[in-house]
Amino acid sequence: MSSLWAILNGGESSRYGSPKYLAARNGESFLDVAVKRTIEASNAGDKIVVSGGPPLSAAWDVVVDSPHFTGPLAGLLALVQLAMEAKNEVLTIQPIDMPLVHSEHLRFLHDQALHSEGVVVAESQNSKDRHWVLAAVHCSQYLDVAERIESGSFRSVKSVWASCACDFLTLPDEYLVNINYPDQPV
């Protein structure tokens, strides 16, 4: 079975002041960095999509966020529904604003979800912070996740995952930097 690899690109980037997918690191946009590492992590036959944000003319599809929700939940619901329809074995999700994550980290998330048949969330090694949007979901969890979001009882991705039986993948803190401001060091 194939997997779905998603880059969460939606949001207004109000704290950042401009679209984060256009922000650059070492001369490459955050979107280009995310796509490159996703291609490295994925297998032939897997699908790569960008969730939310403007339509882009590229080799990947843009998934429109669910109109019934806002923020990352709108993107998550649309991605889970797409993964269910396509019968993807694992959905691996990364936010656009984590440019230091490596392809191996995405692959580790994917593989742990595949073998545990559950939801796997990235966790910082030293701080133990949980990075709720950097996650992978096994197909056996798609319907449950979609129903939880559609119930309207959850206000954030964190609350959805926290209501599931999650596994956590510990990664070095320096790779899990979430960029929210243009002058924030990368």
Side-chain angles (χ1 to χ4, degrees):
M1 288 177 91
S2 66
S3 293
L4 180 62
W5 300 81
I7 301 164
L8 272 181
N9 182 42
E12 297 176 13
S13 303
S14 55
R15 287 180 289 179
Y16 196 81
S18 62
K20 287 184 185 177
Y21 72 93
L22 296 175
R25 175 179 181 262
N26 298 329
E28 286 186 287
S29 72
F30 283 10
L31 180 60
D32 289 340
V33 170
V35 168
K36 185 186 298 183
R37 70 175 169 230
T38 305
I39 290 169
E40 291 171 359
S42 63
N43 294 317
D46 288 351
K47 184 171 183 156
I48 299 171
V49 297
V50 176
S51 171
L56 305 167
S57 56
W60 52 86
D61 294 330
V62 174
V63 176
V64 176
D65 288 351
S66 170
H68 305 291
F69 298 91
T70 59
L73 282 180
L76 179 59
L77 180 57
L79 291 168
V80 168
Q81 289 173 332
L82 176 63
M84 272 194 296
E85 290 168 16
K87 299 184 182 349
N88 295 116
E89 194 164 20
V90 173
L91 164 62
T92 304
I93 307 160
Q94 64 178 303
I96 194 75
D97 58 4
M98 293 183 82
L100 303 179
V101 171
H102 285 198
S103 58
E104 311 85 79
H105 303 139
L106 296 178
R107 191 75 210 171
F108 292 153
L109 279 167
H110 173 277
D111 290 350
Q112 188 169 331
L114 180 64
H115 297 299
S116 70
E117 297 188 2
V119 176
V120 180
V121 174
E123 178 180 62
S124 298
Q125 187 173 38
N126 296 322
S127 66
K128 297 298 181 193
D129 288 339
R130 293 186 170 155
H131 300 270
W132 298 98
V133 181
L134 183 57
V137 185
H138 186 269
C139 60
S140 63
Q141 304 299 310
Y142 294 160
L143 183 58
D144 184 47
V145 170
E147 288 175 348
R148 286 172 193 261
I149 296 169
E150 290 171 333
S151 76
S153 300
F154 301 94
R155 301 251 182 242
S156 67
V157 171
K158 175 183 178 179
S159 63
V160 171
W161 292 152
S163 72
C164 298
C166 288
D167 290 327
F168 297 94
L169 176 66
T170 302
L171 298 171
D173 293 39
E174 63 266 20
Y175 298 110
L176 298 176
V177 176
N178 185 271
I179 306 299
N180 289 309
Y181 302 96
D183 55 352
Q184 184 177 340
V186 180

